[in-house]
Amino acid sequence: MSGSPRTGVTQSWRTVDIVVTAAIAVAFGVVFWAWGLVWTATEPVFIALPPAQNVLYGVWFMAAIVAALVVRKPGAALFAELVAASIEALLGGQWGLDTLVSGAIQGFAVEIAFAAFRYQRWDVTATLLAAVLAAIGAWIHDMPVFYKDLALGDMVVIGIFMIIGAVIIAGYGSWWLTRALVQSGVLAQFPSGRAQTRV
């Protein structure tokens, strides 16, 4: 995305920024809904070690991270994740309105990661931090909601698998997806598209 780890960011939003962020969010909203079906379908695969299923969780962080990497505006991650969560819920996602709460927490966590670098850094390090913080946010939300009867040790194991999946899928996955979009030339209107990509 960037030839150097730090690049400037213009705070103001253009119409194209809003449209593209919304488009990313809607696309991922459909993916999120479909991923809920995958989650249910793969439960038998993880019957021997149910917490390991959380390696799949990272997909649900991608709207926020990809939008942030593409648009490079404060608020893009939260906006995208909330819209994506709304689409998932509207399509009949199995977690209902709680999906919006999850989306808000995960999007805000990604914002914290990029804000930590003052929205000046968009490299792999910042992206992986965003993924890890999103996983931590999801874990903080999910434990009292879905796993309140588990022992603390079991909750920690779930968190570890969440972070592993977040790093691989949401971290490196979002990075490589955005890099592919940059190389295709479709992001020429954005700072991410005009900058030289690097790993």
Side-chain angles (χ1 to χ4, degrees):
M1 252 71 67
S2 173
S4 68
R6 297 179 183 276
T7 59
V9 59
T10 301
Q11 302 290 324
S12 60
W13 283 65
R14 304 168 298 168
T15 301
V16 68
D17 297 324
I18 298 171
V19 171
V20 169
T21 302
I24 290 170
V26 170
F28 272 108
V30 176
V31 171
F32 288 0
W33 169 77
W35 202 245
L37 302 179
V38 172
W39 180 274
T40 300
T42 56
E43 286 179 354
V45 176
F46 297 97
I47 192 67
L49 186 60
Q53 187 177 22
N54 288 278
V55 297
L56 303 177
Y57 210 120
V59 168
W60 281 299
F61 311 144
M62 291 185 71
I65 297 176
V66 171
L69 291 175
V70 169
V71 178
R72 299 188 177 184
K73 303 287 185 185
L78 181 58
F79 174 30
E81 196 72 16
L82 274 174
V83 173
S86 299
I87 295 298
E88 180 184 2
L90 286 172
L91 290 174
Q94 59 187 296
W95 294 285
L97 292 178
D98 184 66
T99 303
L100 303 182
V101 178
S102 295
I105 293 172
Q106 293 159 18
F108 184 69
V110 173
E111 291 288 345
I112 291 174
F114 291 113
F117 298 107
R118 300 173 64 185
Y119 295 100
Q120 299 289 313
R121 186 163 177 167
W122 308 96
D123 59 3
V124 173
T125 299
T127 303
L128 293 180
L129 177 61
V132 170
L133 291 186
I136 293 172
W139 183 85
I140 291 172
H141 167 269
D142 286 6
M143 292 309 101
V145 175
F146 302 117
Y147 303 104
K148 61 183 179 181
D149 295 328
L150 290 183
L152 179 59
D154 294 329
M155 291 182 179
V156 171
V157 172
I158 289 174
I160 290 171
F161 279 112
M162 276 186 174
I163 290 173
I164 292 171
V167 167
I168 296 171
I169 301 174
Y172 286 111
S174 297
W175 169 261
W176 285 108
L177 174 58
T178 309
R179 189 172 185 223
L181 292 172
V182 169
Q183 292 177 336
S184 74
V186 300
L187 302 180
Q189 298 184 70
F190 299 92
S192 55
R194 294 191 292 269
Q196 179 181 354
T197 62
R198 75 178 184 93
V199 176

